[in-house]
Amino acid sequence: MEDIKLKIQELAEQNAFNANSISYGYKFVGNVQTDELCIRFGVDQKKPISELLDSEIIPNSITVEDQVLKTDVFKEGTVKLIACNPICGQNSGSNSTANRAFTRPLVGGLSMSVSNLPGYVGTFGFIAVDTNTQALVGVTNNHVLIQDAFYTSERSLVNGIYQNEYFPINKVYQTGESSPPPLNYEIGTSLRYVPIQQSTPNKVDCGIFSIKQSDIGTGTISSSVMQAGDPYTNPLPFATTAEINNLLVTNPMIYSSGRTTGPKGGVGCPMRISALFTAFPIAYKKQYQYTVVTFIDQITFVKPENDPILSPVCINPIIGGDSGSALIADFGGVRKIIGLVFAASFSGANIVSGHANRIDNVASEIGIEAWDGANKNFVDLASIDYVTTVGGSSNKNIICDERQFWQVGLTVSSNPC
């Protein structure tokens, strides 16, 4: 499996065949899924070979080490981020009343916004544990939480364009449906994020923020382990790397609860994994300009239109405003978080699939663990210090006076390390 993942990454970095996405999934013949796994290429339009340039002709098979894998070509538009303004998704046919409501105690799947991104709304995915401090933190995408999440080494102070998440303090609100939000909607402050880079591929779009003890449910197992609108009450552990790598074989039922589409999953509103190791180009804003970067090793999921035992289907597997949602799979009756939703593939105006960062990559890159609902610490905002270093950096964090500091952006202020 690792060889296949690396091959897809190699093809993506080469921008092979001008594909919109490259992934590992089941081959379709005549719009019917077969039982043969292959390397899949999403393209704007399937064309006869006579109309293609030599560089656009996808071979019938690709050799990976000593394995020959067939290829499959399907129609798929570009991949886009799915944060949006508060009016988006009003006609999506969703049942998201619980997700958009002011909710205390907090649960996953709720509408959220931040002070540094006025007019944008996303999803508070779930509560996790900061590995270093053992404090509870909220988890979402960095493009929901952060105004410019690129590495500082890839940004510039030219023309005075700079962005820093702590000047002023970046506050987090739930619900995210009103702008400006009332004071009692504030639930925390952004803490850190995994920066985006243009020079090398990315695996995660993730940021975390503090939460207040008064906003968390009490009990032996806190009710805040739940997802909005979903009756499942048990804590959600993180799936293992092996469990994620085997998703195409085990084919579990998938669940998610997002700000716009609401709770999804189960036979009434089914979703399934369609591909693993997915790689694609996608645009992020860097200093107000859209910049194309590459993402690799993603999970792709769909509404299973061609699966007759799973009807009726949802209108959309994901839509604008659902960025930051947890993607959850049922493993023999035990639900586990497998990913963090952040993007969707479009065909015209229609969304054909959703994409999520693998939770094993998220956990290792940002430093979080699954929460079992037991009592934990909470972030003391008064203990947070800020330092300034000269020039940009391609490191996520630095050690200053034996303490770890994460990137927050360029600045013109002076508080040297």
Side-chain angles (χ1 to χ4, degrees):
M1 296 290 280
E2 187 68 20
D3 292 336
I4 296 171
K5 179 169 66 175
L6 291 175
K7 184 63 176 180
I8 291 173
Q9 177 179 339
E10 175 189 331
L11 292 169
E13 291 187 76
Q14 295 171 352
N15 192 26
F17 316 114
N18 295 322
N20 290 325
S21 73
I22 308 173
S23 61
Y24 180 64
Y26 286 101
K27 186 175 179 64
F28 280 73
V29 176
N31 207 33
V32 176
Q33 179 179 308
T34 71
D35 60 359
E36 185 173 19
L37 287 164
C38 68
I39 296 182
R40 307 166 73 241
F41 294 85
V43 298
D44 287 322
Q45 189 71 42
K46 295 179 69 173
K47 300 177 182 179
I49 291 180
S50 60
E51 297 181 15
L52 296 173
L53 301 172
D54 289 346
S55 61
E56 296 176 325
I57 298 175
I58 298 171
N60 292 325
S61 64
I62 292 176
T63 300
V64 181
E65 295 298 322
D66 58 352
Q67 183 179 10
V68 178
L69 292 172
K70 289 184 179 179
T71 61
D72 194 15
V73 181
F74 64 100
K75 183 179 179 181
E76 177 190 53
T78 56
V79 182
K80 301 177 182 178
L81 300 176
I82 47 174
C84 65
N85 60 54
I87 65 170
C88 74
Q90 290 184 345
N91 299 315
S92 65
S94 64
N95 179 26
S96 60
T97 302
N99 302 74
R100 302 189 196 200
F102 177 87
T103 303
R104 302 293 185 276
L106 293 170
V107 293
L110 296 173
S111 167
M112 64 164 281
S113 63
V114 297
S115 58
N116 284 357
L117 282 171
Y120 285 87
V121 65
T123 299
F124 169 11
F126 56 94
I127 297 170
V129 179
D130 180 5
T131 300
N132 287 338
T133 66
Q134 290 297 293
L136 294 182
V137 293
V139 182
T140 188
N141 294 145
N142 62 25
H143 76 266
V144 172
L145 188 67
I146 303 299
Q147 55 188 330
D148 188 335
F150 277 82
Y151 275 90
T152 53
S153 59
E154 302 197 7
R155 290 192 257 169
S156 169
L157 288 173
V158 174
N159 300 324
I161 299 175
Y162 67 94
Q163 291 170 306
N164 188 295
E165 296 310 310
Y166 290 92
F167 300 98
I169 297 294
N170 188 25
K171 297 181 179 180
V172 181
Y173 302 99
Q174 196 293 310
T175 177
E177 300 300 305
S178 61
S179 184
L183 293 178
N184 65 313
Y185 281 18
E186 183 181 338
I187 59 172
T189 298
S190 64
L191 295 174
R192 65 176 184 261
Y193 58 91
V194 177
I196 298 295
Q197 51 195 337
Q198 185 180 9
S199 54
T200 57
N202 303 271
K203 292 183 180 180
V204 306
D205 176 338
C206 179
I208 61 174
F209 53 93
S210 67
I211 48 181
K212 297 181 291 187
Q213 185 171 4
S214 58
D215 289 335
I216 300 301
T218 58
T220 304
I221 297 178
S222 170
S223 60
S224 292
V225 300
M226 297 178 64
Q227 294 278 301
D230 192 320
Y232 189 82
T233 59
N234 291 334
L236 298 167
F238 292 170
T240 66
T241 296
E243 286 172 327
I244 296 172
N245 285 343
N246 208 34
L247 285 170
L248 290 171
V249 176
T250 56
N251 191 29
M253 190 68 77
I254 303 301
Y255 298 83
S256 188
S257 185
R259 172 264 174 195
T260 306
T261 54
K264 304 167 294 299
V267 294
C269 190
M271 298 191 299
R272 293 289 194 188
I273 301 299
S274 65
L276 295 176
F277 314 140
T278 307
F280 45 76
I282 187 170
Y284 279 73
K285 277 190 176 181
K286 179 170 68 173
Q287 297 184 278
Y288 306 107
Q289 300 295 320
Y290 281 106
T291 303
V292 176
V293 303
T294 299
F295 266 76
I296 60 171
D297 200 15
Q298 304 301 301
I299 300 170
T300 300
F301 59 100
V302 297
K303 53 177 187 175
E305 294 178 334
N306 299 312
D307 191 336
I309 68 170
L310 291 176
S311 212
V313 298
C314 307
I315 295 176
N316 292 290
I318 213 76
I319 205 169
D322 290 337
S323 282
S325 308
L327 191 65
I328 299 162
D330 187 305
F331 296 93
V334 177
R335 294 190 191 180
K336 300 182 181 182
I337 296 175
I338 60 171
L340 184 66
V341 176
F342 80 115
S345 288
F346 287 73
S347 179
N350 298 319
I351 291 176
V352 296
S353 60
H355 303 288
N357 310 148
R358 294 170 57 121
I359 195 62
D360 52 352
N361 289 335
V362 170
S364 63
E365 290 209 26
I366 204 162
I368 57 171
E369 303 168 358
W371 181 37
D372 62 5
N375 290 335
K376 288 289 182 179
N377 302 325
F378 290 85
V379 175
D380 178 6
L381 297 182
S383 69
I384 298 176
D385 291 328
Y386 311 104
V387 299
T388 302
T389 59
V390 177
S393 173
S394 57
N395 297 319
K396 285 189 298 187
N397 46 58
I398 63 169
I399 301 298
C400 175
D401 294 332
E402 299 182 348
R403 298 177 65 190
Q404 185 183 71
F405 292 83
W406 285 63
Q407 286 205 15
V408 297
L410 294 177
T411 180
V412 294
S413 64
S414 178
N415 177 28
C417 179

